[in-house]
Amino acid sequence: MTFKTKLRAAAALLAISAASAAQAETIGFSVPSLASSFWVSATYGVQKAAEEAGVELIVVDAGGDANAVQQISQIQDLVQRGVDAIVIGATNGDSIAPVVEQALAAGIKVVGISSPPSNEGLSAVVSADHYDMGKLQAECMGKALSGKGEVAMMAGPQGQTWSDRRAAGFNETLAAEFPDMKVVAESRLADNRNDALRVAEDWSQRFPDVNGVYSATDDMAAGVINAFEAAGIKNVVFTASNLSPTAQDLIKSGKLACTSIQKIVAQGRAALKAAVDASKGVAVEKSIVTPALLIDASNVDTVDLGDVVAPEGYRP
């Protein structure tokens, strides 16, 4: 073999090694439920960032916020497959903490998004200012009701950081700024449109004089609005969080007073980038927080949705 031939062979081997290294990253993404518009938009951001980074992405769906056992099994499978990092939105932060410890012990980097696992060893947590999202809803409802009235709360699943923080922001803001408004009912059972509709049907019978209803997400708000409309109850102020196409239509039709939103797609992108960087030993910020915004009829047509929600018709 001549010297030039050896050089060409060595160069070819280096190119093959570099290509293999570039394709070696595999990132898992574990979500509570792809029936939720939030997780659909987050997945869109994660997938787009994975495509741009040239990494393989494995998405697993627990099928519901109550399905912690299913999520634990799926994370165990990701660990066994030897992924380089896992991005996790927890069904319940405490319930899945032990399996996350297993992942960390195996040398797999873990990044929390929106509802993070309850572990100290996470490389990063990506979230919105959920407290401020609840606060913005309280201010919107308080102004719409002139600071007086009875309110019901479809507060979302117990034990998830995002729903707990939004409920706290709403409750504490009402108490501080609108003391003549009283919360007469609160549910932590519903986590989707159908569940919210069933709870709200009961409320429409028990609390026919309610003046406002807070919903932790726009999916739940849609169910609440349907229930109250079917019961013939009018002049109720409905508020929500997130800005799916459904929420946009409800605002434009005047059925939803406002929604406090977060940059969901941007969170997905940031979480994937943090996971890739952490798996490569690159330093990442421990806490990445995107700001909350309030959307109502005055700005729903002008807000830039590129970082907020997946395009209409997108399916993971």
Side-chain angles (χ1 to χ4, degrees), residues 125-138:
V125 173
V126 181
S127 66
D129 189 338
H130 293 293
Y131 185 93
D132 203 39
M133 291 175 74
K135 179 176 184 291
L136 289 173
Q137 278 201 61

Side-chain angles (χ1 to χ4, degrees), residues 12-37:
L13 285 172
L14 285 172
I16 292 171
S17 297
S20 298
Q23 297 170 0
E25 295 291 318
T26 302
I27 309 297
F29 183 33
S30 174
V31 304
S33 174
L34 286 176
S36 161
S37 61

Side-chain angles (χ1 to χ4, degrees), residues 73-88:
S73 175
Q74 291 172 339
I75 294 172
Q76 287 173 332
D77 182 63
L78 291 172
V79 173
Q80 291 171 359
R81 294 173 70 167
V83 298
D84 297 286
I86 309 174
V87 177
I88 299 176

Side-chain angles (χ1 to χ4, degrees), residues 181-202:
M181 294 179 66
K182 180 182 178 182
V183 176
V184 295
E186 180 174 356
S187 171
R188 302 306 300 261
L189 299 176
D191 64 359
N192 58 57
R193 181 171 184 161
N194 289 334
D195 287 347
L197 186 149
R198 284 190 286 270
V199 174
E201 285 175 338
D202 175 62

